Amino acid sequence: MAVLKPLGFWGLGGLAFVDAGLFPIPPTMDLVLIGYVATAHSRLVLYSFVAALGSALGSLIPYYVGRAGGELFLLKRINRQRYEKLRDGFAKQEFLAIAIPAMMPPPFPLKVFEFAAGVFEMKPLIFVTAIFGGKFIRFLIFAIITVVYGPTILHSFTHELHRHFSLVLTLAGVAVLAVVAYVMRKVFDRRRGTSLPVEED
C-alpha cells in the first residue's frame, strides 16, 4: 500500500493485481477504490477501469494454478464421470459463471470460481473479459455511490453495520447463497449440458 498507492492510478492497478492474484488488500479493494474516487470525482471511470483491469490480470494467477494441477486435485475427490459432467455444464455457461461472481464484493469466494475456470480450461481471453466486465460494473457502482453521496457514506455505512450487524450478516448470507444457487444451477444443470463419454481409468 505504501509503495503503490502514491503512484496514482498505476498504483491502483497494482493494488488490484495484488488483491486478485496474491493476497487481499485490507480492508477491501472496494474501499481503496472509494478512497481514490473521493479525491478525484472526474476520474471515477478511469479508476474503475484500471482497478478492473488490474483485478482481471491478477486473477490469471489462480486461473493458471487451476489449469496446471486442478484436474488432478478434483479427480482425487470426484469420479471421472462426475468431473466430465461438471466440465460440460461449465462450458455451457462459462462467461456468466465468472462474470456474476466477479460482481460480488468480499467475502464472496471468487477465487474458487477462478480456480474452476482454470481446471475446466476456459479460454484465457474469455476468462479475463468476464472478470474485467464483472469487476468494472462492481467498481463503477461503488464509485458512482461515492460521487453522489460523498465519502462520508463510508462512515455512515460502517456505523449502521455495527448497529445492525446480525441482521446485515443474515441478509448478506441469504444473498450470497441465492447468487451461488443461481450460478450453480446455470453452470451445473445437467439438462443444459451434453453428456461426454466417460473416460476409463
Side-chain angles (χ1 to χ4, degrees):
M1 290 280 289
V3 172
L4 293 176
K5 195 168 184 179
L7 298 179
F9 67 87
W10 294 109
L12 178 63
L15 290 171
F17 179 90
V18 171
D19 178 76
L22 300 176
F23 52 84
I25 295 295
T28 68
M29 191 61 214
D30 301 290
L31 294 181
V32 173
L33 172 74
I34 288 172
Y36 273 83
V37 174
T39 60
H41 290 181
S42 62
R43 293 190 171 187
L44 69 92
V45 175
L46 174 63
Y47 287 152
S48 300
F49 179 89
V50 171
L53 181 61
S55 293
L57 295 178
S59 296
L60 286 171
I61 295 177
Y63 167 84
Y64 277 111
V65 170
R67 192 155 187 165
E71 181 176 359
L72 293 177
F73 176 82
L74 284 182
L75 287 175
K76 289 181 180 179
R77 290 158 177 79
I78 59 176
N79 59 42
R80 171 65 68 173
Q81 183 178 11
R82 181 59 178 160
Y83 173 83
E84 296 288 357
K85 289 180 178 179
L86 292 176
R87 186 178 68 178
D88 183 48
F90 186 90
K92 294 295 182 181
Q93 299 287 342
E94 58 182 6
F95 187 89
L96 289 178
I98 298 300
I100 293 176
M103 298 178 192
M104 301 295 106
F108 190 86
L110 176 59
K111 284 185 172 57
V112 174
F113 290 83
E114 295 168 347
F115 179 80
V119 172
F120 298 131
E121 298 182 348
M122 183 178 181
K123 293 182 179 179
L125 181 59
I126 297 177
F127 171 79
V128 170
T129 303
I131 290 290
F132 173 81
K135 288 290 186 76
F136 181 72
I137 292 173
R138 169 179 142 194
F139 290 149
L140 189 60
I141 290 173
F142 276 103
I144 292 173
I145 291 175
T146 301
V147 171
V148 173
Y149 295 101
T152 56
I153 192 174
L154 294 179
H155 301 290
S156 301
F157 176 78
T158 303
H159 177 69
E160 292 301 319
L161 181 65
H162 285 292
R163 282 186 57 194
H164 308 287
F165 184 75
S166 298
L167 177 61
V168 171
L169 189 62
T170 301
L171 293 176
V174 171
V176 169
L177 288 176
V179 172
V180 170
Y182 173 80
V183 172
M184 290 301 181
R185 184 175 65 84
K186 289 289 186 181
V187 174
F188 300 129
D189 187 351
R190 296 182 182 181
R191 294 173 298 176
R192 295 178 178 270
T194 302
S195 299
L196 296 178
V198 179
E199 300 179 14
E200 296 181 357
D201 294 333

